[in-house]
Amino acid sequence: MPTTSSVSHHSRRRHPNVLTRAWLGLLALSVASAVLTMLHAPAALIGAGILILALIKSRIILARYLDLSTSPAWLRGFTMVLTGFAIVVFALYLM
């Protein structure tokens, strides 16, 4: 009697796992931060951009590496705290 497998033998294309995609996203955001520093824009705009990219990176780390994507309440709480911290840092930067 033939047995069926849950793995499809017809699909040979591999999808990168979640951690690999998170790492690639962090790498891309790091490159974007470096490129942002090379632009000839006002310092406040560059500072805001770097902080926003840092917030995105922290959210990726929390959701994927610390696996808080399975606990949305904790992820939302950490995101709110980090966003508040970034706002305070940006306000101090503007002074």
Side-chain angles (χ1 to χ4, degrees), residues 19-41:
L19 292 180
T20 303
R21 287 186 293 189
W23 180 77
L24 290 172
L26 291 172
L27 185 64
L29 289 168
S30 295
V31 169
S33 296
V35 169
L36 188 60
T37 62
M38 291 186 257
L39 296 177
H40 298 289

Side-chain angles (χ1 to χ4, degrees), residues 52-67:
I52 289 170
L53 291 173
L55 280 172
I56 296 169
K57 287 168 65 173
S58 67
R59 177 129 171 134
I60 290 172
I61 291 168
L62 288 170
R64 301 298 177 212
Y65 286 101
L66 298 180
D67 205 24

Side-chain angles (χ1 to χ4, degrees), residues 73-88:
W74 280 98
L75 181 60
R76 188 176 26 241
F78 275 113
T79 301
M80 288 189 322
V81 169
L82 287 172
T83 302
F85 180 71
I87 290 170
V88 169

